[in-house]
Amino acid sequence: MNNKGTLFVITGPSGAGKGTVLKEVIQSLEGLYFSVSATTRQPRVKEVDGVHYHFMTHERFEELIANDRFLEYAQYNGNYYGTPLDPVEEHLEQGHDVILEIELQGALQVKKRLPKAVLVFIAPPSFEELERRLRGRGTETEEVIQNRLAIARQECAHMDEFRFIVVNDEVDAAADRLRAIMLSCRCLRENLDFTLN
Ligand code: ADP
Ligand code: 5GP
């Protein structure tokens, strides 16, 4: 993959606040492309096909797997989630930075496939607070919340494998930290398209 842009992979347990923090960061940084994932999960109220996700059947998702159309994919709580490869490649080639917001297994697949990708783990301040946030969001049933909490404990056990960790205690502070990581990566010599005349 020709990567003129930087690929940022934002991961962390469901309910940690990845979406909330990213929304703040995306509003304040230029030249970013936010990858729209594919999923077989049912849309939530207010979720729009093609904006929040590309919603599709299991059959369609498996067809795309067979045709190698995903940069990564994983099963999470009984559904498939995956990153469509083509738009990511196109934006990186155009020199845009690309953001993936994905769960742990997918993040580790990207790390293997594209070692230059920058991985960031968004951690909740505590498991108690994570549970409060998952409930407070009000988008899942009790059974799904319990499953997500169990997965969260497994995911957080991998936190040590990440170089960058952003604890989402306060949204503004967490967004500042993530923005700082992204801006710093843009200043890395290998990422700069700059010559001094
Ligand atoms: P994720 O994308 O990681 O699943 P969300 O961004 O949907 O998480 O956040 C989960 C819930 O927690 C939402 O209701 C959101 O408003 C809330 N939330 C996110 N960050 C914070 C924070 N720093 N303090 C309190 N609540 C937060
Ligand atoms: P949700 O159902 O809450 O939208 O997402 C569940 C989990 O799947 C979250 O941790 C989210 O980050 C992750 N996810 C979303 N899109 C993708 C994707 O394309 N690939 C992978 N591996 N995980 C994803």
Side-chain angles (χ1 to χ4, degrees):
M1 196 185 277
N2 178 354
N3 47 352
K4 285 189 208 152
T6 302
L7 181 61
F8 291 100
V9 182
I10 313 301
T11 192
S14 175
K18 301 183 295 294
T20 307
V21 172
L22 271 173
K23 202 169 156 202
E24 279 230 5
V25 170
I26 287 166
Q27 280 168 1
S28 60
L29 283 183
E30 305 226 318
L32 284 178
Y33 166 72
F34 188 85
S35 162
V36 180
S37 296
T39 185
T40 59
R41 143 164 106 56
Q42 289 300 308
R44 293 176 184 142
V45 183
K46 291 191 184 163
E47 279 184 333
V48 179
D49 187 35
V51 176
H52 298 95
Y53 280 106
H54 300 289
F55 294 100
M56 59 183 66
T57 61
H58 264 72
E59 290 71 27
R60 175 69 184 141
F61 200 104
E62 286 178 348
E63 200 177 296
L64 293 173
I65 295 173
N67 291 327
D68 235 356
R69 292 329 314 151
F70 290 116
L71 169 59
E72 60 71 39
Y73 71 91
Q75 292 217 29
Y76 176 91
N77 197 30
N79 281 301
Y80 279 123
Y81 293 80
T83 303
L85 179 61
D86 292 348
V88 172
E89 272 187 339
E90 283 160 19
H91 281 276
L92 288 175
E93 273 167 29
Q94 286 166 26
H96 301 152
D97 292 341
V98 173
I99 299 187
L100 311 185
E101 189 218 303
I102 61 178
E103 53 68 69
L104 182 89
Q105 305 166 69
L108 296 178
Q109 284 174 43
V110 177
K111 189 181 178 186
K112 240 186 181 168
R113 189 164 171 179
L114 301 171
K116 281 172 73 179
V118 177
L119 278 77
V120 182
F121 191 97
I122 308 277
S126 65
F127 281 112
E128 209 181 11
E129 175 62 13
L130 181 70
E131 184 163 356
R132 210 172 4 249
R133 287 183 191 172
L134 267 179
R135 276 187 214 293
R137 191 165 67 185
T139 49
E140 271 82 29
T141 61
E142 182 57 29
E143 188 191 356
V144 172
I145 289 174
Q146 289 305 329
N147 286 342
R148 285 182 180 235
L149 285 170
I151 297 169
R153 288 198 177 266
Q154 294 167 10
E155 291 186 323
C156 288
H158 288 265
M159 217 161 73
D160 287 355
E161 292 165 47
F162 289 81
R163 191 127 187 253
F164 289 115
I165 295 173
V166 169
V167 179
N168 177 20
D169 40 14
E170 298 284 334
V171 176
D172 286 352
D176 278 347
R177 291 176 202 129
L178 183 56
R179 208 179 285 114
I181 291 168
M182 296 176 73
L183 289 173
S184 306
C185 289
R186 284 185 172 176
C187 297
L188 286 170
R189 183 170 16 85
E190 65 263 29
N191 292 339
L192 271 184
D193 184 17
F194 173 75
T195 40
L196 191 58
N197 295 309

